[in-house]
Amino acid sequence: MRRDELKAVFILCLAFVTIGGQRFESKVAQLLQDDTEDLKCFVEGKKDLTCFWEEEEERNGSHDQYTFVYSYENENRRTCAISSLSLLATNRTILFCKLPQTLFFTALSLQIFRDGRMLYNRSLNVENVLFVDPPRNLTVVSSRKEGQLNVSWLPPPLKYMEDSLIYEVRYAVEGSHMGKVEVIKANTMLILRGLQAGTRYKVWVRVKPDGVSYKGFWSAWTEPAFGSTPPTDMDPLIVLLVLFIGLIISLLFLTVMLSHHKFLLKKLWPDIPTPEHKFPGLFTVYKGDFKEWMSQSNGSMWGRPVHVFPEELPSPLEVLSEVSLTTPLSSHTTSPRQDRKTMEEEEKMESEVTDSGLTDRWREPPHAHWLMEQLRALQENPESLSQPMLLESHDTYVTLNHNSQCAQGEDEGQEDNIFDESLPLQTLFTNTGKSSLSASHSDLGSLQQSSGSGRLSSQSSFEHPNHTWPPKGPGYAYMAVADSGVSMDYSPMSSNRIADLGKRVIYTNEYKNDIFGHKWPLSGHCIESGY
Amino acid sequence: MQKFSDLVLVLMVFVWLVRDQVSALRPICDLRVLDHFVREAQDSEIIMHGCRVDCGVTKSYFVPMTSVDFAVWEQTDVQEQAAEVQTGLSLLVQALSSARHTVISSPLASTLDNNISNMHSLGQILHSLHLQQAKSSVLPNDSALNSTQIQEISSLPELLRVQSSFLRGKVRLLLSAAPACQKQNG
C-alpha cells in the first residue's frame, strides 16, 4: 500500500511538472516574441519570478561564465543559479534563473555577467511583469433570448489579484476566421449579444492585469468552447397581429364576395350562349323538336331572320335556253307586251313569295307560257341556234354566271367577296320573257331533241351595286331575289324600282348548263369559291 | 425629584444609543476609490519627472516600507496589517506635507496637495472598516513601529514613488482582504 501511494504521488508530481513545464516553455516562447528586453522576466503568481535570456553562441551545455546577480531595494545583493533550456519548437536555447525570493511593490535590480563583464542590467518592479495562466473552465451556454450566449469562466488562481484582472473574450462563427473581441473588467462572465440565430459559435478567453496595481502580459488563449444560439423565435405579439389582420382581410373578402356574387359568377362562369331566345318555346315546350316547333309557329316567325341555316340550300335552277329574241321572235314582238301585262297581274299574286327554299315555294312565273313558245320556235327554226343568241335586255331571261364568276374569282376576288354571303343564284325576270326557272326537265328534254348538242347557257346575275342593271326601260316587271346570306327577299319589282335594285347587293353567278347529263353545278360550289 | 432622575436616566440612555449609531460608519469597500488615488499618485510621479524648476529641495523623509512578500503577508494578522498601513499613511502625510513646503512649481504643488488629501481619505476608509482602533501618530518611534517597516529617503521623486507603491501594495491588499468587505461580498 505504501509503495502504491508513493507511486501515485510521484506520478501526480510528474504530471504537474510536465504540465507546468509545458506552460513555462510556452510563456518563454511567447515572451521571446513579444518582449523587447534583452533580459526578460515574468512572474506567474505570487512567487516564482523567472528571468531568462537567449544564449547567443552554442556552447557545450556549459554556462559557468555567466553570473546572475540581483538585489531588492534596501537589501543586499545575491546571486541566482542559472539553468539552460532548449526550446524544441524554435530550436533555441535560453538561460534562465528562478529567483528564490519574490518581493512585490519594490524595486529589483538585475545584472548578468559573463566572464566578469556585465552583459545585461535591468531594474524592474515585480508587480509589473505579471504573466498569469489563462482562465479555467470556460463554458458557453445558450441563452433563452434570441441571438445571445452566456459565457462564463474561472479566473486564474491568484489570491488578492482577482479584482485587478481584465479579460478578453473572442468569439466567431464555427468555421469562420472572422471574430469579434469583448473586453470585460473584474468579472468572470459575459453575455454575447447580437449573434446570429441558430448558429454555432466558438469562444476563447484570455486574461491580463488591469494596469492599475499590477501590470503584465496577455495570457495564452484558452481552449475554445462551443455554443449554439437558439433559433429564431416568433414574437407571440407579432403572430397574434398577423392572425388578426388575416382574419379581418378574410372577412372583408368574404363580404365583397357575398355582395357581388352574381356579378363575379357571371364573369368567372359565364353562361353558355344558346339560341333558345331566338326560338321561343322550342326547348321549353317542344323539347327541342324543331319540326313540331316549326309546324306550330305562327306567320310572325317568317319575318325574322333565320340563323339556323348558315348556308342556303342549293336550289337547282333549270335553265332552258339562251334565246335571241330579235329575229325569230319578230312574230312575237307584240307578245312580250301582252305578256308583260299578264306578268304584272301574276306578279301581284307572287308578291308574297319570300320563301327561302326556292324549290319548295317556287311558283311558275306567268311568262312560262312564253318560254314554251320560244322553245317551239326553236324547234321549228334550228338554225337560230348556230348564231349566238343574245337576249335583249327587255327579254325575259335567266342568267347564271356560275363558271365565269368562278373563273374570274381570282381576279375579282376582292370585289366579289362582298357577295359571299349572298346566294350565288339570283334570278332576274323581265316581264316580257316568259321563261320559267322552274321549267321542268321535260322542257329541256324537248329542247334536247331540238338542239341536240345544244349547250344552254344561262346567266343569272347577282350584280354588284356598281354594276347597274342596264335599264330595261319602263314597263318591265321582274322579280328579284336578293340573298345576303342572312335572309332572302323575293319581291316582285316594277320597272320603276330599277334604281332601287342597283342599290342592293346583288351576287353575280355565271352558270353554264349542259343539258346532256351535265349536272347542275351546285350554287354551293361557287359559294365555296366565292368564300 | 424622582421624575427628574428618571428623565436624566432616559436622556443618558438616548445619548448612548445615538453615539453608537453615529460611530457606526458604513464600511467603504469599493476599491475603485483606491484605484483613483493610485492613478493620481502615478500622475504626481509623471509631473515630478517633468519638473525642471522649483521642484523642491533635497531633504530626508521617513516613509514606510512598501515591499510585500506574500508568503509573509499572508501569515500576518489583519490587525497588524491595518496598523502597518495606518502608520504608513501617517508617515506619507507627514513627508508629503514637508515636501510641499519646499515646492514652488504650481503643477507639482497642486498634485502634492491632492495626494495629501487622498491620504487623509484613505485614513477615513480604513477607519470605516473597523480593522483596529488605530490612532494616527505624528512621528514614528521605535517603540511604536518596527524599524524594518520604515525607510529613509532623500528626494521628492523617491517619496512619490514610495507613495505609489504603498498604495498599490499594502493598502490595496488590506482593503481587499478586510473582513467587513468580505461579509458584504459574501
Side-chain angles (χ1 to χ4, degrees):
Chain A
M1 285 294 293
R2 198 164 184 178
R3 287 184 179 179
D4 295 337
E5 292 175 355
L6 289 173
K7 284 183 180 179
V9 171
F10 176 76
I11 291 170
L12 286 173
C13 293
L14 189 62
F16 280 116
V17 169
T18 304
I19 294 171
Q22 290 178 350
R23 290 179 178 175
F24 178 78
E25 284 190 25
S26 65
K27 291 179 180 177
V28 169
Q30 184 174 342
L31 286 180
L32 282 174
Q33 296 180 353
D34 299 338
D35 199 356
T36 59
E37 294 283 348
D38 294 326
L39 181 60
K40 307 177 199 306
C41 297
F42 64 93
V43 60
E44 296 181 79
K46 291 178 287 184
K47 54 185 181 179
D48 298 332
L49 174 65
T50 302
C51 293
F52 65 93
W53 68 98
E54 189 174 359
E55 188 177 12
E56 297 176 357
E57 299 176 0
E58 292 187 4
R59 298 181 184 263
N60 298 326
S62 174
H63 44 77
D64 296 335
Q65 67 278 12
Y66 292 100
T67 305
F68 190 104
V69 179
Y70 72 95
S71 62
Y72 285 103
E73 189 176 11
N74 301 327
E75 290 192 1
N76 300 325
R77 295 177 63 180
R78 302 175 194 175
T79 59
C80 178
I82 298 172
S83 302
S84 64
L85 178 65
S86 296
L87 301 176
L88 300 176
T90 56
N91 196 18
R92 292 177 175 179
T93 302
I94 61 159
L95 300 174
F96 67 95
C97 174
K98 286 182 180 284
L99 275 68
Q101 185 183 24
T102 303
L103 298 179
F104 289 78
F105 307 105
T106 186
L108 173 62
S109 177
L110 302 169
Q111 291 95 29
I112 304 298
F113 296 94
R114 184 170 71 178
D115 297 329
R117 289 183 302 169
M118 184 177 293
L119 185 60
Y120 303 119
N121 184 16
R122 184 180 176 185
S123 179
L124 55 87
N125 282 40
V126 178
E127 68 274 10
N128 294 334
V129 290
L130 198 62
F131 197 166
V132 298
D133 292 334
R136 302 169 296 159
N137 289 10
L138 175 62
T139 56
V140 180
V141 179
S142 177
S143 174
R144 291 184 179 180
K145 293 185 179 180
E146 182 179 349
Q148 290 186 3
L149 284 176
N150 293 332
V151 184
S152 62
W153 59 91
L154 292 179
L158 293 173
K159 196 174 180 181
Y160 310 119
M161 297 179 185
E162 292 83 358
D163 52 1
S164 299
L165 300 174
I166 60 172
Y167 302 91
E168 191 173 73
V169 179
R170 181 162 68 99
Y171 59 97
V173 177
E174 187 180 14
S176 173
H177 297 287
M178 298 296 294
K180 292 186 179 179
V181 172
E182 294 280 347
V183 178
I184 182 170
K185 292 184 178 181
N187 201 354
T188 58
M189 64 173 297
L190 177 67
I191 298 176
L192 299 176
R193 305 176 196 274
L195 305 178
Q196 299 177 13
T199 308
R200 189 172 167 83
Y201 280 85
K202 204 173 181 180
V203 182
W204 301 263
V205 180
R206 64 178 181 178
V207 63
K208 179 189 174 182
D210 61 359
V212 178
S213 295
Y214 301 93
K215 297 178 183 178
F217 311 97
W218 279 110
S219 70
W221 290 104
T222 59
E223 291 297 320
F226 297 89
S228 299
T229 52
T232 305
D233 187 19
M234 288 292 291
D235 192 2
L237 182 61
I238 295 175
V239 173
L240 285 175
L241 285 174
V242 169
L243 288 175
F244 185 68
I245 291 170
L247 183 64
I248 291 174
I249 292 173
S250 301
L251 287 174
L252 287 173
F253 181 73
L254 197 63
T255 305
V256 170
M257 289 288 289
L258 289 175
S259 60
H260 297 87
H261 71 279
K262 291 184 178 178
F263 174 74
L264 292 173
L265 199 64
K266 193 178 288 184
K267 290 295 181 182
L268 296 175
W269 198 264
D271 295 332
I272 299 173
T274 62
E276 188 174 347
H277 64 284
K278 297 292 183 182
F279 303 91
L282 173 60
F283 298 100
T284 56
V285 178
Y286 298 99
K287 309 297 179 184
D289 189 348
F290 189 73
K291 285 187 178 178
E292 190 69 23
W293 178 78
M294 285 286 291
S295 63
Q296 295 296 330
S297 60
N298 52 19
S300 62
M301 290 296 297
W302 300 117
R304 297 181 181 179
V306 178
H307 301 279
V308 178
F309 302 101
E311 298 180 356
E312 289 295 334
L313 296 177
S315 55
L317 180 65
E318 184 174 352
V319 178
L320 298 178
S321 65
E322 180 179 346
V323 181
S324 172
L325 301 178
T326 53
T327 50
L329 297 178
S330 61
S331 61
H332 296 282
T333 53
T334 57
S335 61
R337 294 179 183 174
Q338 295 175 357
D339 292 339
R340 181 180 65 186
K341 292 181 181 176
T342 309
M343 187 64 182
E344 287 180 353
E345 295 176 354
E346 293 179 350
E347 285 180 354
K348 288 180 181 176
M349 296 173 62
E350 297 176 352
S351 63
E352 296 182 356
V353 176
T354 57
D355 191 2
S356 62
L358 294 174
T359 57
D360 294 335
R361 292 291 185 91
W362 184 256
R363 295 182 182 176
E364 181 176 351
H367 48 268
H369 180 66
W370 172 81
L371 186 59
M372 292 301 297
E373 291 180 355
Q374 294 298 322
L375 289 175
R376 293 196 190 96
L378 285 174
Q379 289 179 355
E380 294 173 356
N381 299 312
E383 296 178 355
S384 62
L385 293 177
S386 61
Q387 298 179 359
M389 298 178 181
L390 296 176
L391 292 175
E392 292 184 352
S393 60
H394 61 277
D395 292 334
T396 303
Y397 67 92
V398 175
T399 62
L400 296 174
N401 297 326
H402 177 79
N403 292 331
S404 65
Q405 186 173 4
C406 293
Q408 298 174 3
E410 296 179 354
D411 297 334
E412 301 175 354
Q414 292 185 354
E415 294 180 357
D416 295 337
N417 286 339
I418 61 174
F419 309 137
D420 291 345
E421 295 180 352
S422 305
L423 279 177
L425 181 62
Q426 179 184 12
T427 60
L428 294 173
F429 298 91
T430 59
N431 199 18
T432 54
K434 295 186 178 177
S435 61
S436 170
L437 290 179
S438 63
S440 63
H441 291 280
S442 60
D443 294 337
L444 292 176
S446 61
L447 184 60
Q448 177 181 1
Q449 295 175 359
S450 61
S451 61
S453 61
R455 287 178 63 88
L456 293 178
S457 63
S458 59
Q459 181 175 13
S460 67
S461 62
F462 287 82
E463 294 180 351
H464 190 272
N466 294 331
H467 301 287
T468 57
W469 184 258
K472 302 184 184 292
Y476 285 94
Y478 52 87
M479 185 172 69
V481 178
D483 183 10
S484 62
V486 178
S487 64
M488 290 187 65
D489 290 332
Y490 298 87
S491 60
M493 300 175 70
S494 61
S495 60
N496 57 357
R497 298 184 63 183
I498 293 177
D500 296 336
L501 182 62
K503 297 178 182 178
R504 292 193 178 191
V505 177
I506 308 172
Y507 191 73
T508 304
N509 186 9
E510 274 193 357
Y511 166 70
K512 289 187 177 180
N513 184 21
D514 186 0
I515 60 175
F516 293 101
H518 180 72
K519 292 184 179 178
W520 294 91
L522 297 177
S523 60
H525 172 68
C526 196
I527 293 175
E528 292 175 359
S529 64
Y531 293 146
Chain B
M1 188 62 182
Q2 185 175 2
K3 291 183 179 179
F4 178 77
S5 62
D6 293 339
L7 182 61
V8 170
L9 182 64
V10 170
L11 286 173
M12 290 177 63
V13 170
F14 178 76
V15 170
W16 179 75
L17 289 173
V18 171
R19 185 180 64 180
D20 287 343
Q21 290 294 328
V22 171
S23 62
L25 296 175
R26 294 178 62 182
I28 302 173
C29 299
D30 193 348
L31 295 178
R32 289 178 294 180
V33 178
L34 178 60
D35 291 341
H36 179 69
F37 296 159
V38 170
R39 291 190 186 93
E40 289 186 339
Q42 292 175 344
D43 293 340
S44 300
E45 289 185 76
I46 296 171
I47 295 173
M48 185 67 215
H49 185 72
C51 181
R52 294 290 180 265
V53 181
D54 299 330
C55 303
V57 296
T58 301
K59 59 183 295 185
S60 297
Y61 305 98
F62 290 98
V63 292
M65 295 289 288
T66 59
S67 61
V68 174
D69 188 345
F70 282 99
V72 176
W73 181 264
E74 291 176 355
Q75 301 297 327
T76 308
D77 186 69
V78 173
Q79 293 182 356
E80 293 180 15
Q81 295 174 0
E84 185 176 346
V85 169
Q86 188 70 35
T87 304
L89 289 174
S90 299
L91 291 173
L92 285 173
V93 169
Q94 292 177 9
L96 288 171
S97 300
S98 175
R100 172 67 183 83
H101 295 317
T102 63
V103 173
I104 303 173
S105 172
S106 172
L108 187 58
S110 174
T111 190
L112 289 176
D113 292 334
N114 196 21
N115 295 146
I116 294 169
S117 173
N118 293 341
M119 295 298 109
H120 289 293
S121 300
L122 281 175
Q124 295 294 327
I125 292 172
L126 288 177
H127 182 65
S128 68
L129 296 179
H130 300 283
L131 296 175
Q132 64 168 20
Q133 297 294 329
K135 295 180 181 180
S136 62
S137 59
V138 179
L139 293 174
N141 49 24
D142 294 338
S143 60
L145 297 172
N146 190 345
S147 61
T148 59
Q149 298 176 2
I150 300 173
Q151 60 179 335
E152 185 177 0
I153 57 174
S154 61
S155 66
L156 185 53
E158 275 189 274
L159 175 59
L160 296 176
R161 184 174 54 83
V162 168
Q163 175 194 211
S164 177
S165 297
F166 189 72
L167 294 177
R168 291 164 60 194
K170 291 183 178 178
V171 174
R172 186 181 181 86
L173 289 173
L174 180 64
L175 293 180
S176 62
C181 296
Q182 297 299 325
K183 291 179 181 179
Q184 288 185 359
N185 296 333

